[in-house]
Amino acid sequence: MAHPQRDFLPGRRSVLAGGIAALALTLQAGRAIAGVKPDMAKGAMERFKLAAQPKALPDLEIQNADDKPMKLGDFKGKVVLLNFWATWCTPCVKEMPSLDRLQAAFPKDKFLIVPLSIDGPTKPKVAPFYKDQKLANLGIFFDKGRKTMQGLDVTLLPTSILVDAKGRELGRIEGDADWDMPESIALMKAAMGKDKG
């Protein structure tokens, strides 16, 4: 009478586990949130982390350049890229020109970059910084007391959060990125429901 090999069952378990893992990766690759797919996290967007599901953002208060209060909900109806930054943050400063060029590529009534400065005491440096860097397409916004940063669980500068037109987080990037590269533009177009091309 033949006896099964001693490692027969553990071997089958390994094959089965590998098959399940491959299936999970295939399903993950096919998953899209508001047109944004995991396979879009490549090149300039390689650190983009797609949310497991769209997550409604709290309607936190920010300030515009005139110190007038605004709410994140004021931006509903357009895709928004919230960018947390500061003038004293070297990676933040590095990516600002590419954010300005990205904003220039899209109409502000459909897509808006909201650079939220957390400068606080150095707030008077922000407007001159925009002028020195020739940032003509970006608005000036402030996260007073870093409440929005804390409310959205941002712990690293820069951090950029992609928000759909319904005010839900689609994903985020921690650290700087090249925002005017083809992969970045394709990601924003996908979030707006447009073709990649």
Side-chain angles (χ1 to χ4, degrees):
M1 172 160 126
H3 295 285
Q5 293 178 358
R6 204 171 111 189
D7 295 327
F8 177 72
L9 285 176
R12 279 186 104 180
R13 286 185 192 127
S14 296
V15 170
L16 183 60
I20 290 170
L23 178 61
L25 287 174
T26 302
L27 292 173
Q28 173 76 1
R31 178 176 66 92
I33 296 178
V36 177
K37 298 178 183 176
D39 65 354
M40 299 182 93
K42 60 184 176 186
M45 295 288 100
E46 69 184 354
R47 285 182 282 124
F48 179 77
K49 292 181 182 164
L50 185 65
Q53 59 185 4
K55 183 171 109 179
L57 296 183
D59 198 17
L60 299 167
E61 188 174 290
I62 62 173
Q63 291 180 318
N64 67 15
D66 300 321
D67 288 332
K68 291 186 180 168
M70 299 181 71
K71 297 265 188 173
L72 292 182
D74 295 342
F75 302 114
K76 280 189 180 172
K78 56 185 83 173
V79 172
V80 173
L81 185 66
L82 290 174
N83 175 264
F84 291 87
W85 76 287
T87 57
W88 43 263
C89 165
T90 302
C92 301
V93 168
K94 177 184 164 198
E95 76 174 357
M96 289 299 278
S98 71
L99 282 166
D100 192 64
R101 291 188 295 270
L102 177 65
Q103 182 63 75
F106 296 104
K108 289 183 178 180
D109 64 329
K110 305 280 184 207
F111 173 77
L112 185 65
I113 296 174
V114 178
L116 283 172
S117 168
I118 64 160
D119 273 270
T122 56
K123 182 177 168 183
K125 293 183 178 183
V126 175
F129 170 82
Y130 269 52
K131 188 176 179 182
D132 292 346
Q133 295 293 315
K134 297 179 176 65
L135 303 177
N137 300 298
L138 297 175
I140 297 176
F141 301 91
F142 297 98
D143 183 7
K144 187 176 180 181
R146 300 184 184 180
K147 291 178 182 169
T148 303
M149 187 174 170
Q150 293 166 355
L152 298 179
D153 197 29
V154 173
T155 58
L156 179 74
L157 289 181
T159 291
S160 298
I161 301 174
L162 184 58
V163 181
D164 70 8
K166 295 178 182 176
R168 304 173 305 175
E169 179 176 342
L170 300 177
R172 62 176 65 194
I173 289 182
E174 293 182 331
D176 63 307
D178 291 322
W179 290 103
D180 56 344
M181 300 301 286
E183 302 90 354
S184 313
I185 292 169
L187 182 66
M188 301 311 132
K189 284 183 178 180
M192 288 186 282
K194 298 180 178 183
D195 294 330
K196 284 191 196 180

